[in-house]
Amino acid sequence: MADIIDGRAIARQLDEKTKAEVDALVAAGHPAPGLTVILVGDDGASQVYVRRKIKSCEKVGIRSNEHRLPADTSQEDLLALIDQLNRDPEVHGILCQVPLPDHIDTRLVLRSITPEKDVDGFHPVNVGRLSTGTGGIVPCTPLGVMMLIHSVIPDLTGMDAVVIGKSNIVGKPVANLLLDAEATVTVTHIYTHGLPAICRKADVIVAAAGAPELVKGDWVKEGAVIIDVGITRIMDEETGKERLVGDVAFDECQHAKAITPVPGGVGPMTIACLLANTVQAAKGLMGVNKDVSSDYHDVPSRSMFTGNGNIPNE
Amino acid sequence: MADIIDGRAIARQLDEKTKAEVDALVAAGHPAPGLTVILVGDDGASQVYVRRKIKSCEKVGIRSNEHRLPADTSQEDLLALIDQLNRDPEVHGILCQVPLPDHIDTRLVLRSITPEKDVDGFHPVNVGRLSTGTGGIVPCTPLGVMMLIHSVIPDLTGMDAVVIGKSNIVGKPVANLLLDAEATVTVTHIYTHGLPAICRKADVIVAAAGAPELVKGDWVKEGAVIIDVGITRIMDEETGKERLVGDVAFDECQHAKAITPVPGGVGPMTIACLLANTVQAAKGLMGVNKDVSSDYHDVPSRSMFTGNGNIPNE
């Protein structure tokens, strides 16, 4: 039987670490880190997510603040609010819940959050820093994925990792983090030929395709570690009830070394990583050095100009 | 016999395209694009590279300008110069030749060049945009690599590509560009196990390891396309003379479909791409739309939030 990687338990441990960091900051005379969440419109799911984030902040001692704006808020007004929050020294993290209404340019809005407060890690500067292994804020889900992998494989050096899906929010950043951890990384996607054979060679599979039960048991080699980022609601034909499934045929993969369940695997890590990112952002803005949440906030500063023996900028 | 991918000829074609773009801009009443190169100290190789760049500008009608600063220039003075160039409307591209003297923080300096004028494509914002497929300036060597590949494989969809080396200036950006082109991409490096077998499956190999003749003939499958980014000066044991070799054992790879020579492959593309980037930057700054040099300046704007079926920012 494969070990189940318990995302809820690992998220709880991370929350405890985060809470300890917050307490230490406050004990040292700093203000508690502060997260501001912006919600535009009244999308039901978004309201649930925002409420959950706010509640999670309370648990670890992060001050939180919610701006609810009507669905017809102009882009100008939203940008003005973000500008104000960027300059507010009491705000350390800014999260603008997506999706935004259609009349608003989502990418422009997310790019207007100052990178130092961009706790989602979506700003091009943070993406660039992640890509070059030069620090910055790492997006929550990829950060959580790496923590789950490291809970069973402390050292990924030379391991074969396969990432299924090349989205900007999961696949690509996970691939970068795996490379930073010295794994050999193959990124696959909808146009990939021979995906089963590619997966069969992998020591680590990160499935982030959004395709229910795409990865079958015979795609997985004995002893592999599987992280399932997918989550899709499907109708169970036998029971006639809806259920959540991942990108991996979980029951068929008991010969794996370890596997994340859906739900209860990657999902719970995301908010825990958001909280950790908020504390990291606060410490950066306060000039407090050592970071709290993970090695990924502390990627060794590799020179832009090492590693391939070529003369750059020739 | 493998086809030789003639980098010099392809670079010349690109230069012609660039020159035509410059002429069209000028004919439309715009100023000619302007590139400013900064050289700190008197490193011999750097002087050669800078001279070559300046001369190449002349050929295509780009105005060029060189700032030679003494080796003991303070970081402050260098940053002040860049700040002034950032604000100068006649300057469209800024290139700060590396290596910089040890007392100067190279990364800080490169980051101080405004992304819109960063014709080297090293600024985190440009790296981030490349990583997310959202435009920006693509670094010269990776851009040249992709043009060489496309000269023999117009459509990379579903092809297996292997990148050897994961440097920030070649391996990682090339991997991102290959992914954008819908190839399946494996990034390998010094810690990779079984590199020969991984290469043997590849339709495209990009060797950027800086390891002379690392890739042997029997690592290459029949019909593969090989781009050799490496360039190392070695002593030829037979002749007792120095010669330049790439990362690929060229003579052993005649069963490939096509291969770049060293020298004369990737090298010549780099300056041609710098010129193309300068024109692209100028057009961006002038508000002139259609770009000049390649599809890679025009990467389709994919939403940050598509492609994996998961709810982002949950």
Side-chain angles (χ1 to χ4, degrees):
Chain A
M1 290 287 286
D3 288 338
I4 306 299
I5 303 174
D6 184 345
R8 290 199 184 97
I10 295 170
R12 262 197 307 273
Q13 287 166 20
L14 178 56
D15 282 346
E16 279 165 25
K17 245 177 105 177
T18 301
K19 183 172 190 321
E21 287 282 330
V22 172
D23 292 347
L25 276 176
V26 172
H30 294 285
L35 174 68
T36 292
V37 182
I38 302 170
L39 177 59
V40 184
D42 34 36
D43 178 70
S46 290
Q47 290 181 10
V48 172
Y49 301 144
V50 168
R51 204 174 314 136
R52 206 181 285 164
K53 287 168 188 173
I54 298 281
K55 231 178 129 174
S56 304
C57 283
E58 282 168 27
K59 270 196 320 204
V60 298
I62 291 175
R63 289 177 298 110
S64 65
N65 186 13
E66 188 184 340
H67 284 267
R68 286 208 182 209
L69 305 178
D72 62 355
T73 299
S74 72
Q75 179 170 299
E76 202 186 344
D77 286 350
L78 178 56
L79 291 174
L81 171 62
I82 290 175
D83 182 51
Q84 176 206 317
L85 296 169
N86 280 343
R87 286 182 284 111
D88 184 341
E90 305 222 328
V91 174
H92 303 109
I94 304 170
L95 188 153
C96 186
Q97 183 71 37
V98 293
L100 290 169
D102 285 343
H103 66 281
I104 291 177
D105 179 343
T106 300
R107 196 185 294 158
L108 177 72
V109 167
L110 296 185
R111 204 185 287 167
S112 74
I113 297 172
T114 186
E116 284 67 33
K117 300 187 178 184
D118 166 41
V119 286
D120 260 341
F122 290 155
H123 191 286
V125 162
N126 283 319
V127 176
R129 287 179 184 158
L130 173 61
S131 176
T132 53
T134 53
I137 298 179
V138 176
C140 303
T141 299
L143 181 57
V145 166
M146 293 306 293
M147 289 180 178
L148 295 179
I149 295 173
H150 280 302
S151 75
V152 282
I153 312 179
D155 182 3
L156 283 161
T157 304
M159 296 255 175
D160 280 313
V162 170
V163 178
I164 308 177
K166 62 176 177 93
S167 74
N168 288 330
I169 57 166
V170 184
K172 288 187 196 168
V174 165
N176 273 313
L177 292 166
L178 288 165
L179 272 180
D180 271 336
E182 310 295 0
T184 300
V185 181
T186 299
V187 183
T188 66
H189 46 79
I190 192 90
Y191 295 112
T192 294
H193 297 301
L195 184 56
I198 293 172
C199 289
R200 235 169 256 136
K201 291 181 35 203
D203 302 307
V204 179
I205 296 174
V206 178
E213 302 190 328
L214 171 72
V215 178
K216 311 300 178 201
D218 66 354
W219 295 23
V220 172
K221 84 170 174 194
E222 189 116 0
V225 169
I226 309 174
I227 307 294
D228 191 348
V229 188
I231 182 160
T232 311
R233 196 177 296 278
I234 62 163
M235 178 69 72
D236 192 307
E237 289 179 15
E238 281 177 38
T239 65
K241 286 184 189 162
E242 283 193 334
R243 63 184 179 101
L244 292 173
V245 294
D247 286 355
V248 180
F250 184 88
D251 292 340
E252 298 177 11
C253 295
Q254 295 307 314
H255 55 296
K257 173 188 168 72
I259 183 169
T260 59
V262 174
V266 174
M269 293 301 289
T270 301
I271 288 185
C273 287
L274 172 69
L275 303 178
N277 276 351
T278 301
V279 174
Q280 186 218 0
K283 292 179 101 172
L285 291 162
M286 293 172 187
V288 179
N289 257 335
K290 186 70 192 93
D291 92 73
V292 44
S293 56
S294 114
D295 290 334
Y296 295 100
H297 293 144
D298 243 358
V299 176
S301 285
R302 290 176 199 142
S303 163
M304 283 178 75
F305 300 116
T306 54
N308 78 337
N310 298 307
I311 303 146
N313 185 323
E314 188 179 329
Chain B
M1 291 284 288
D3 288 337
I4 307 299
I5 302 174
D6 185 345
R8 291 199 184 98
I10 295 169
R12 262 197 308 272
Q13 286 166 20
L14 178 55
D15 282 347
E16 279 164 25
K17 243 176 107 175
T18 301
K19 184 170 188 319
E21 287 283 331
V22 171
D23 292 347
L25 276 176
V26 172
H30 295 286
L35 174 69
T36 292
V37 182
I38 303 169
L39 177 60
V40 185
D42 34 36
D43 179 69
S46 290
Q47 289 180 10
V48 172
Y49 301 145
V50 168
R51 204 173 314 135
R52 206 180 287 164
K53 287 168 187 173
I54 299 281
K55 233 180 127 175
S56 303
C57 283
E58 283 167 27
K59 269 196 320 202
V60 298
I62 291 175
R63 287 176 300 110
S64 65
N65 186 12
E66 188 183 340
H67 284 267
R68 284 206 184 213
L69 305 178
D72 62 355
T73 299
S74 73
Q75 178 169 299
E76 202 186 345
D77 286 351
L78 178 56
L79 291 175
L81 170 62
I82 290 174
D83 183 49
Q84 177 205 316
L85 295 170
N86 281 341
R87 286 181 285 109
D88 184 341
E90 305 222 329
V91 174
H92 303 110
I94 304 170
L95 188 153
C96 187
Q97 184 70 37
V98 292
L100 290 169
D102 285 345
H103 67 281
I104 291 177
D105 180 342
T106 300
R107 197 184 294 156
L108 178 71
V109 167
L110 296 185
R111 205 184 288 166
S112 74
I113 297 171
T114 186
E116 282 68 31
K117 300 188 179 186
D118 165 42
V119 285
D120 260 341
F122 290 155
H123 191 286
V125 163
N126 282 320
V127 175
R129 287 178 185 159
L130 174 62
S131 176
T132 51
T134 52
I137 298 180
V138 176
C140 303
T141 299
L143 180 57
V145 166
M146 292 305 292
M147 289 179 179
L148 295 179
I149 296 173
H150 280 302
S151 76
V152 283
I153 312 179
D155 182 4
L156 283 160
T157 304
M159 296 255 173
D160 279 314
V162 170
V163 178
I164 309 176
K166 63 176 175 94
S167 74
N168 289 330
I169 56 165
V170 184
K172 288 187 199 169
V174 165
N176 273 313
L177 292 168
L178 287 165
L179 272 180
D180 270 335
E182 311 295 0
T184 300
V185 181
T186 300
V187 183
T188 65
H189 45 79
I190 193 90
Y191 296 112
T192 293
H193 297 300
L195 184 56
I198 292 171
C199 289
R200 235 168 259 137
K201 291 182 30 204
D203 302 306
V204 178
I205 297 175
V206 178
E213 302 189 329
L214 171 73
V215 178
K216 311 299 179 202
D218 67 354
W219 295 24
V220 173
K221 85 170 171 193
E222 188 116 2
V225 169
I226 309 174
I227 307 294
D228 191 346
V229 188
I231 182 158
T232 311
R233 197 177 295 277
I234 63 164
M235 179 67 74
D236 191 307
E237 289 178 14
E238 282 177 33
T239 65
K241 286 185 188 161
E242 283 194 334
R243 62 183 179 102
L244 292 173
V245 294
D247 286 356
V248 180
F250 184 87
D251 293 340
E252 299 177 11
C253 295
Q254 295 308 313
H255 56 297
K257 173 188 169 72
I259 184 168
T260 60
V262 175
V266 174
M269 293 301 291
T270 301
I271 290 186
C273 288
L274 172 68
L275 304 179
N277 277 350
T278 301
V279 174
Q280 187 217 359
K283 293 179 99 172
L285 291 161
M286 293 172 188
V288 180
N289 259 334
K290 186 68 191 93
D291 92 74
V292 46
S293 57
S294 114
D295 290 334
Y296 296 99
H297 292 144
D298 243 357
V299 176
S301 285
R302 289 176 199 140
S303 163
M304 284 177 73
F305 300 116
T306 54
N308 80 335
N310 298 304
I311 303 147
N313 184 326
E314 189 177 332

